[in-house]
Amino acid sequence: MNSAVNLFSPIQLGRYTLPNRIVMAPMSRLRAIGNIPNQIMATYYAQRASAGLIITECTMVSPLSKAYINCPGIYSQEQVEGWKLVTDAVHDKGGRIFLQLWHSGRVTHPSLLSGQIPVAPSAIAPECKLDTPLGQVPIETPRALEDREITKIVEQFRIGAQNAMIAGFDGVEVHGAFGFLIDQFLQDGANKRTDEYGGSIENRARFLLEVVAAVTGVWGSDRVGVKLTPSNTFYGIFDSNPKATFSYAINALNNFDLAYIQMPEPKETDLANRDVINPVTPSFRPIYKGNIVTNSDYDKAKGNAILASGQADLVSFARLFLANPDLPQRLAANAALNRPDPQTFLPISETELEKGYTDYPFLEPQYV
C-alpha cells in the first residue's frame, strides 16, 4: 500500500507521463452522423482534455462492425479526416487521447449491415435485442467466420491502428470486452469452433493475441492498451471457467509490455445473471505485471483508496466524465458534480446533438 498515491499523482503510461490517473472511459454517444466523426465530437472530447488520458468510444474497424446507428469508424479516409478534428482539438487543450478499436461480431443486425448477415466465431445468437433502423429487434443468428475471414479481420484491426496514427491519436485501445467479437472468441459460451481458434483456452485466446500483435506492430506495445471484462454478461456472453480463461489471456498479454489493461468491475446485472469474478481487479493484480485501469462507478474517495492499495494504477470514469467535462478540477476542489441525464446519453435527434453532450456546465470561476 502507498497512501501517497492518489488520483492526482502523475504516472508513466508507456512512453507518456500523465499528469493524473483520472481516465475518461470509452462511452458510445452515437453523434457520428453517417459514421463519420465531426466538429461537435471534437468539442466534446476537447472539453474533457484535462483527463490524464481520454479513451474514445468504440470505433468500427469494418463496416460489418456496425452495432449501433451513428457509431464512428476508422476504415475510410472521411473517418480519418473526421478524427483529425478530434485529435487536433484535444491536443490544442494539452490532452492525450487513445482510439478504441472495435469489431462487434454477432452484436449487430442485417438492417445495420446493408442486408449482410453478422459474423461471429460460431453461429450462436445471444438472447437479447438491439436498436436498429427497424426498431428494437432480436439479434439474429450470425454465420461462423471462415479461417481466411479471421485473418482478414486481424488485418482490419491493423489498418484501423494505422489509420488512427494518421488521424493523430496518441495510441489505441483494443476492445476485447462486453460481448463483442474478441470476447466472443475468448469465451466458450459463444465459441464452439473445433479449429485452431476454438476448444482450448489457448485456441480461444488466439484471435485476441493475433489482434494485439498486429496493432502493436503498428504502434509499439507502449502505446497500446487492451480492454477486457472478465465478469461481463452483456449480449449473452459467458464462459464455463472465466477465472481460468482470463488468467491465461491476461498472463499472455504480459508478453507485450502494453501501456495498460482496462478491466471494469461487474455490474449488478452481471452479479444477478450468474456466478462471476468479484471483485475483478484484485483477482488479476497478482497476474498482470503492467498498469491496470479499473472502472466501477468510482467517486474520489473510492478511487483514491484503490490506487493507494496498489490493486490498480489508474481509474476510469464514465458517467461522471459525461456530465462533468472538468471532472479532475471538480474532484480536486471537492466541488459539486453535475448529474448525468440518461435521457440524453444518446442523441435526441440529429439536429440536437449538443443536448446532454457539450452543454454540461463547467465550474464557476471561484473554483478554478
Side-chain angles (χ1 to χ4, degrees):
M1 177 173 288
N2 185 353
S3 59
V5 176
N6 59 44
L7 291 168
F8 308 101
S9 303
I11 185 172
Q12 193 68 32
L13 192 81
R15 70 180 62 183
Y16 301 115
T17 302
L18 306 185
N20 61 61
R21 299 173 185 235
I22 301 169
V23 176
M24 178 178 167
M27 293 174 280
S28 292
R29 306 300 309 279
L30 307 187
R31 263 75 172 182
I33 305 304
N35 309 116
I36 299 172
N38 49 45
Q39 185 58 56
I40 196 166
M41 290 172 61
T43 300
Y44 167 76
Y45 282 112
Q47 286 177 339
R48 291 153 179 81
S50 60
L53 177 67
I54 293 171
I55 306 170
T56 73
E57 60 214 274
C58 55
T59 302
M60 301 182 292
V61 298
S62 160
L64 283 180
S65 177
K66 189 177 180 180
Y68 314 117
I69 300 168
N70 292 328
C71 53
I74 192 64
Y75 54 82
S76 75
Q77 185 61 38
E78 292 83 2
Q79 291 163 348
V80 171
E81 294 300 320
W83 279 120
K84 284 181 180 178
L85 298 174
V86 175
T87 59
D88 285 348
V90 169
H91 292 151
D92 285 347
K93 295 289 187 181
R96 293 140 300 275
I97 182 167
F98 277 29
L99 179 81
Q100 190 184 66
L101 298 166
W102 166 68
H103 196 301
S104 62
R106 70 185 187 179
V107 184
T108 183
H109 189 268
S111 63
L112 290 163
L113 306 178
S114 301
Q116 295 189 71
I117 302 299
V119 298
S122 302
I124 301 170
E127 294 183 5
C128 53
K129 294 183 177 182
L130 197 67
D131 290 323
T132 76
L134 305 177
Q136 192 173 81
V137 298
I139 293 180
E140 296 185 1
T141 301
R143 65 175 181 82
L145 286 160
E146 299 178 12
D147 286 359
R148 59 178 178 81
E149 293 179 297
I150 297 172
T151 302
K152 183 178 178 181
I153 293 174
V154 172
E155 176 66 5
Q156 289 171 343
F157 272 95
R158 189 195 68 79
I159 292 171
Q162 193 170 56
N163 286 342
M165 184 174 286
I166 295 169
F169 283 93
D170 299 300
V172 294
E173 178 179 278
V174 173
H175 194 331
F178 289 146
F180 296 120
L181 185 60
I182 291 175
D183 208 13
Q184 292 160 28
F185 270 94
L186 191 57
Q187 301 207 51
D188 61 15
N191 184 347
K192 303 299 182 183
R193 301 178 73 93
T194 57
D195 61 6
E196 62 180 349
Y197 290 97
S200 67
I201 296 173
E202 293 84 354
N203 283 355
R204 286 184 278 117
R206 189 183 307 277
F207 180 62
L208 163 67
L209 300 178
E210 287 182 349
V211 169
V212 173
V215 170
T216 56
V218 174
W219 280 94
S221 296
D222 61 348
R223 292 188 287 177
V224 174
V226 172
K227 185 173 185 178
L228 299 173
T229 44
S231 292
N232 159 68
T233 59
F234 284 10
Y235 299 121
I237 201 73
F238 68 92
D239 190 84
S240 62
N241 190 346
K243 185 63 183 294
T245 294
F246 284 92
S247 293
Y248 175 86
I250 289 167
N251 187 54
L253 290 173
N254 278 319
N255 296 325
F256 290 95
D257 194 22
L258 299 168
Y260 64 86
I261 290 179
Q262 179 174 196
M263 293 187 292
E265 296 294 334
K267 305 293 185 183
E268 287 186 13
T269 51
D270 299 321
L271 297 172
N273 286 347
R274 61 183 172 95
D275 292 333
V276 299
I277 301 165
N278 182 35
V280 167
T281 306
S283 297
F284 296 104
R285 172 82 280 180
I287 297 173
Y288 190 61
K289 298 179 174 63
N291 291 315
I292 292 179
V293 182
T294 186
N295 175 286
S296 183
D297 294 326
Y298 283 96
D299 57 18
K300 180 180 178 178
K302 292 178 181 177
N304 283 337
I306 195 162
L307 294 178
S309 74
Q311 293 176 343
D313 304 285
L314 303 96
V315 178
S316 69
F317 295 84
R319 294 187 179 194
L320 286 187
F321 241 129
L322 180 156
N324 297 274
D326 50 359
L327 182 63
Q329 291 89 338
R330 287 178 183 265
L331 294 178
N334 292 316
L337 299 174
N338 300 321
R339 290 187 177 182
D341 177 10
Q343 299 301 315
T344 58
F345 286 175
L346 303 182
I348 298 171
S349 72
E350 290 189 2
T351 60
E352 298 178 282
L353 300 180
E354 76 285 350
K355 288 190 175 181
Y357 191 60
T358 56
D359 59 355
Y360 281 103
F362 285 74
L363 273 176
E364 296 297 326
Q366 65 264 29
Y367 289 103
V368 179

